[in-house]
Each structure stands twice: as structure tokens, then as C-alpha cells.
Amino acid sequence: MADNARAKRLADLIREVVAQKLLRGIKDPRLGSHVTITDTRVTGDLREATVFYTVYGGDEERAAAAAGLESAKGVLRSAVGAAAGVKFTPTLTFVADALPDTAKTIDDLLDKARQSDEKVREVSAGAKYAGEADPYRKPGAEDETDGDTAE
């Protein structure tokens, strides 16, 4: 079992090698400059690596990039093996990163909250207190309801 520091170093190396190879070594038009490698994770035994990526574009570009990465998996694994110099080159699994979708969902929720806050602000603009502006009694102030009526 490898230590976590070694797995982290190998993951960083895999991320760099795959990104460079996609940028300069792969001639597949589906994998142009619109594919970004965001993260890489390696298992503790250094046998499997998960490469997270994002694609700039719509659903068609994402599907094309996934197919392109799957077809280039062997070339990318060979490049990783040549650069890493480990006994066993990890198998590569490509997973579309959910970060952009999550960020869009959070942005949408924040927009809804802003709109709701604006509606509350508009409704409360002309609102007045239900009773007096200061409902608390002050020490030393006389209350007209507590006056002497038994005199």
C-alpha cells in the first residue's frame, strides 16, 4: 500500500501529463482546447486513476469529448506510463466533473433568494409598526392608564 503523499504526487503527474497530451499530442478534433482537466485521484494501491474533466460547450460537445477521451485512453495511459516510471501504470477512468453544473444550480438558487429578498423589501417599504414605534416603557415616565382613580 502506497502512502498518501505518493498517490497525491502521482495524481498531480497524471493530471499534468494528460492535460499536456490533450493540448499537444492528440489530433482528435473532439478533444480540442475546450476540454479541461480539473482533478485527478489515484487509489491507495496506485492501480486506478480517475481523471475529472469539464467541457466548454453544450451536451453535444460533452458527449463528443467523452467519446474522444474514451478512444484516446490507451495513448494517454502510455504517456502517463512513460512519464511516471512506476512498475504498474494506473488504468485511467474519465469522469465528467459535476462542478460546473453544481455552480450553476447554486447561482440559480442565489438569484431566487435575491428576487425573494427584493419582494420582501418592496412589501415592507411602506409598512408601519402595529403599535407604537417604541413599545417599551421607560423608567420614570408616567403611564396615563395607571393614574390615581381612587382619590
Side-chain angles (χ1 to χ4, degrees):
M1 186 73 123
D3 61 323
N4 286 340
R6 185 171 180 200
K8 175 75 172 126
R9 285 194 312 268
L10 182 60
D12 290 343
L13 177 71
I14 290 171
R15 187 181 72 238
E16 291 295 323
V17 168
V18 169
Q20 287 297 323
K21 193 71 172 170
L22 286 176
L23 187 63
R24 295 195 178 103
I26 304 290
K27 300 297 182 197
D28 193 341
R30 300 174 290 184
L31 300 175
S33 61
H34 59 278
V35 176
T36 304
I37 305 299
T38 56
D39 193 20
T40 306
R41 295 186 186 146
V42 177
T43 58
D45 61 357
L46 306 179
R47 295 283 181 161
E48 299 175 10
T50 304
V51 180
F52 295 92
Y53 67 95
T54 59
V55 179
Y56 181 74
D59 291 335
E60 296 173 3
E61 288 85 4
R62 288 184 192 129
L69 286 170
E70 198 61 36
S71 70
K73 189 184 284 189
V75 174
L76 294 171
R77 185 173 181 218
S78 297
V80 167
V86 292
K87 185 176 185 179
F88 180 81
T89 303
T91 58
L92 300 177
T93 305
F94 292 96
V95 176
D97 199 351
L99 184 68
D101 296 332
T102 305
K104 184 177 180 333
T105 303
I106 290 172
D107 283 342
D108 291 343
L109 290 173
L110 288 173
D111 285 340
K112 278 184 180 180
R114 281 187 202 101
Q115 291 171 358
S116 176
D117 287 348
E118 186 61 34
K119 286 179 185 177
V120 168
R121 202 172 294 117
E122 288 172 7
V123 168
S124 67
K128 297 187 179 183
Y129 292 104
E132 298 176 18
D134 188 11
Y136 301 104
R137 293 184 186 177
K138 305 263 187 289
E142 298 213 11
D143 193 5
E144 56 268 356
T145 59
D146 286 346
D148 293 325
T149 55
E151 289 183 41

